[in-house]
Amino acid sequence: MHKPHPTPQRLADICVVGAGYVGLTAAACFAALGHRVRCVENDQRRLSQMRRGETPIYEPGLDGLLREGMSTGRLTFTSEIDQAVPGAEVAFLCVGTPARPDGHPDLRQLAAAARQVATAATGDLVVAVKSTVPPGTCEALQLLSDDAASPDVRISVASNPEFLRESQAVSDFFHPDRVVVGADEEATGSCIATLYPSEWPMLRCDRRSSELIKYASNTFLALKISFANEIAGLCEHVGAEAVSVLAGVGMDQRIGPSFLAHGPGFGGSCLTKDVSGLVATADALGYDTPVARATLDVNAWARGRVVDKLATLLGSLAGKAIAVLGMAFKAGTDDVRDSPAVTIAERLLAEGAAVSTFDPVAEPEALRHLQHPDAYSAVSGADAVVIATAWPEFAQLDPARLASVMSGRVILDTVGVLDPAAAAASGLDVILPGRSAMDTFHPVMVRPLEWALDAVLV
Ligand code: UDX
């Protein structure tokens, strides 16, 4: 049975600019809540796909909502901002804010969208910024909008950051931990807040605080992952099990278990970009953020560690055949932006290895020539295999079949999807980062434990 969607506090005509992960999810989900939504997308290929009821991105549940919205007539698509804005009460800006080489986000698409929306407005309009931006951006967009709008139109710019995760975007929209609305005027904040159901947790604050909440949240998530990776590395040195250590740490309710999975480092379109954005914003103001900087440094180290470990296991990488399984930045998505798997494959190529790849849905453009139609074909003849993305189907791989097609024995399972005992039974050597042989007493332990030996010797 189809679960009914929750009811918002009121229904409105809204416009969503940009139909990427954030915009298309917001547009389809707002339409499911009952709002009338006009979604603006200027890429003609994506536009015609959406008009046919197809989602241009792989996102579970989104195509159903898209077709539902289109069939009720509440969700429409256009490439023309001036057709979408007149009559709308709120325009959500959901365009990309990609990272520049200096770490600051490139806000040109956002500024252009804000200007076009303000120019197209024929009546008072609230502009809600969903794109992730540095604090102060809404105020800059306010000035720009005041300048572009006709004198009888009042534009109020507010911040309403989006926290959705790719592959769980629809469920995140309908079950938010919080909806944040940052506005400097009560009426503007209420106009946005009441578009959501009253039972959803809501935080109302000023615009700069709202903008910083998004940066700080993503930085904290990234920091938890880097911490997990640092501790996993330490586990290898002291002979402890990272999975147990991190589970034990996460059971403390003050810490919590999520975002403590160690692996090849974080990737995707947001975490690196937003931590870099926070660091760059602080730098520009003469304020240092060493914790955020270390988070990025540890992440780069975590990716490199995978290749270094492989080099140690194989003696050298030059001329070795290595299969990388999983190219998406995480399981459940076709997104390869800032994917650790891509960095690993590129570094292996740079070290002279012959690389073959497989992913159930993702296909990085630059590495397309390495892609195989299935996992067994990719690992065929491989000296070693790296599992870089935790696709559940990798857990179903038949170890005997893997062993029979591979040339070597080593599988570096960076995300812990394989059953090492079953693989060992087929003669495979599954290496799990964050784990080391505990049967020998590591000499390095003697120095810090000298006090204990002294006590035994007297
Ligand atoms: C993230 C934020 O979670 C979301 O709130 C924000 O709006 C956008 O950025 P997303 O990029 O979709 O979402 O992916 P997420 O599920 O957060 O994972 C990010 C990266 O961290 C992935 O590479 C993932 O594999 C990695 N990760 C996540 C870990 O390495 N360990 C973990 O414990 C969790």
Side-chain angles (χ1 to χ4, degrees):
M1 250 302 275
H2 189 64
K3 245 175 84 200
H5 300 301
T7 316
Q9 295 164 61
R10 68 191 180 91
L11 293 176
D13 281 302
I14 63 182
C15 157
V16 173
V17 182
Y21 279 98
V22 171
L24 186 53
T25 306
C29 292
F30 274 131
L33 288 179
H35 300 296
R36 287 168 303 275
V37 184
R38 273 162 280 168
C39 184
V40 186
E41 170 60 52
N42 51 23
D43 179 318
Q44 286 301 328
R45 200 173 54 88
R46 289 171 79 94
L47 188 66
S48 23
Q49 258 181 303
M50 292 184 295
R51 281 180 168 156
R52 287 197 302 272
E54 293 165 17
T55 48
I57 48 176
Y58 175 83
E59 191 60 48
L62 189 56
D63 40 357
L65 282 187
L66 177 80
R67 286 195 286 272
E68 176 190 301
M70 290 171 78
S71 69
T72 57
R74 290 201 296 265
L75 178 60
T76 53
F77 295 95
T78 175
S79 56
E80 306 305 320
I81 281 196
D82 20 335
Q83 281 173 19
V85 172
E89 242 184 277
V90 183
F92 287 92
L93 303 188
C94 305
V95 296
T97 50
R100 296 191 323 205
D102 63 0
H104 287 284
D106 179 344
L107 300 174
R108 282 177 297 181
Q109 286 180 63
L110 190 63
R115 185 178 290 282
Q116 286 166 14
V117 165
T119 311
T122 50
D124 292 354
L125 179 71
V126 168
V127 171
V129 179
K130 275 209 175 287
S131 311
T132 302
V133 292
T137 304
C138 282
E139 285 151 89
L141 296 177
Q142 181 71 62
L143 294 176
L144 189 154
S145 305
D146 291 344
D147 182 51
S150 78
D152 51 336
V153 164
R154 186 158 185 273
I155 309 280
S156 306
V157 181
S159 160
N160 178 213
E162 187 51 70
F163 298 95
L164 59 81
R165 286 163 295 181
E166 289 180 23
S167 82
Q168 295 169 76
V170 172
S171 137
D172 282 350
F173 186 94
F174 286 114
H175 305 98
D177 286 345
R178 76 301 207 190
V179 174
V180 175
V181 176
D184 290 354
E185 285 168 1
E186 160 60 29
T188 307
S190 295
C191 174
I192 298 170
T194 51
L195 296 176
Y196 295 95
S198 59
E199 60 272 26
W200 289 5
M202 173 76 60
L203 181 88
R204 300 267 303 266
C205 56
D206 63 276
R207 297 187 280 196
R208 289 186 203 178
S209 301
S210 172
E211 292 166 322
L212 189 54
I213 285 170
K214 177 63 194 271
Y215 261 2
S217 299
N218 273 357
T219 300
F220 192 75
L221 293 172
L223 139 70
K224 278 188 95 176
I225 300 167
S226 279
F227 177 78
N229 282 324
E230 184 166 302
I231 295 297
L234 181 59
C235 285
E236 292 180 11
H237 284 80
V238 303
E241 292 272 359
V243 171
S244 307
V245 171
L246 293 166
V249 170
M251 282 169 82
D252 187 323
Q253 289 191 21
R254 294 168 300 176
I255 299 170
S258 55
F259 279 73
L260 280 184
H262 67 100
F266 57 79
S269 63
C270 296
L271 293 195
T272 306
K273 171 175 86 72
D274 295 349
V275 183
S276 307
L278 181 137
V279 170
T281 300
D283 272 356
L285 297 166
Y287 182 73
D288 194 16
T289 47
V291 172
R293 280 193 284 104
T295 297
L296 294 172
D297 292 345
V298 172
N299 198 47
W301 164 83
R303 292 180 184 198
R305 193 164 81 104
V306 175
V307 178
D308 295 343
K309 194 176 275 289
L310 215 48
T312 309
L313 289 165
L314 299 178
S316 108
L317 294 170
K320 298 284 175 6
I322 298 171
V324 182
L325 299 185
M327 298 309 287
F329 83 89
K330 65 173 182 180
T333 176
D334 63 349
D335 198 342
V336 294
R337 282 177 287 177
D338 194 33
S339 170
V342 172
T343 308
I344 291 165
E346 285 172 348
R347 238 199 92 192
L348 288 170
L349 287 170
E351 301 277 340
V355 178
S356 53
T357 64
F358 168 70
D359 188 284
V361 296
E363 225 177 54
E365 191 65 40
L367 302 177
R368 182 161 283 165
H369 58 291
L370 307 176
Q371 189 90 332
H372 283 248
D374 65 72
Y376 297 108
S377 152
V379 307
S380 181
D383 294 302
V385 174
V386 183
I387 303 186
T389 309
W391 282 102
E393 41 268 75
F394 294 157
Q396 310 304 322
L397 289 171
D398 173 11
R401 199 169 156 200
L402 288 175
S404 72
V405 295
M406 283 175 65
S407 292
R409 303 291 85 187
V410 169
I411 300 192
L412 182 55
D413 184 3
T414 69
V415 283
V417 288
L418 290 185
D419 173 358
S426 297
L428 291 172
D429 190 7
V430 174
I431 312 291
L432 293 164
R435 207 170 176 220
S436 71
M438 285 196 277
D439 49 354
T440 50
F441 190 71
H442 205 303
V444 81
M445 300 287 282
V446 173
R447 187 181 290 277
L449 297 183
E450 257 165 11
W451 61 272
L453 294 179
D454 286 352
V456 170
L457 295 176
V458 267

